[in-house]
Amino acid sequence: MFFMKRKLISFSLVLVVLLAACGEETDSKNETDSSAGEKGTIEMAQISWAENIAVSNMWKVILEEQGYKVNLNLLDMGTIMKALAENELDINLEVWLPVQDQAYLQEYKDNVFFSEEPWYDNAKVGLVVPEYLEEINSVEDLNKHKDMFKGEITGFDAGAGTMEVTEELIKAYNLDYELIPSSEPAMITEIAQAMKNEEPIVAPLWNPHRVFSQYDLKYLEDPKKVYGEVEKIHHATRQDFKDDFPEVAEWLKNWKMDDALIGELMTYVNETEEPIDGARKWVEDNQELVHQWLEDEGE
């Protein structure tokens, strides 16, 4: 009898443990499900460029307020485009056309959706030098001053469209220079240090960028227009994204920003310790504009 009672007690204890474990598993699953976003999870690319950090965090805030979960994936441009083509990412917010990212458009146009309309239509790309280098105003002046720059152009992310176009520019102008890759933050640090010491530096840069409000830089003339003229920034998604997230696809289509708006957003993001906090504050302060992006066409 004692043996049977002990077996029953043991069985009860095991049952309690199993039920508790199941409860914990259910709680954990519910917790996971609730954090996933009631409308689904979106995998968004992020590039370590100031304007990209700003807009990707802005869209993370907007979409999560609308019931989605957004994961930001910090990657280089080449990896991003390949991942979109292979359905491993959902959105890339920044594709520069018609020149800078033309190679990616040609390579992936059959496997990736590229937006027809840009969200920003006044972009510019070129080599920049400090304003105090008065004798250097054109790309054609660089070879005459090769020793001044030690034959180096300070670059950023290898594989970025602008870096590839800069390599083409070196060939087009027969420049006896080497393009040194690094990262955007490292490039900006190099520019800041050079200007602090009033030293020469040449680097590829672009508008929109907050660096132009911090330092007196000038674009070098590009007579052969290797960088093109006005660039426009589009977004790209995996091919089936519109079918899976139709309202988000429509919101992205409605999205437009000008110099003032993107400049303000980058300032908000730059002034906070965490980019998401700056983006959240900007979204709070621009609810009327955000609502316009989220409106249905029929409204």
Side-chain angles (χ1 to χ4, degrees), residues 272-299:
T272 54
E273 189 172 339
E274 295 295 331
I276 194 73
D277 295 329
R280 186 173 291 111
K281 179 67 166 61
W282 188 88
V283 169
E284 288 173 3
D285 291 348
N286 290 273
Q287 280 294 295
E288 185 176 345
L289 174 65
V290 171
H291 179 69
Q292 289 175 14
W293 297 341
L294 304 187
E295 282 181 339
D296 291 331
E297 284 189 340
E299 288 186 6

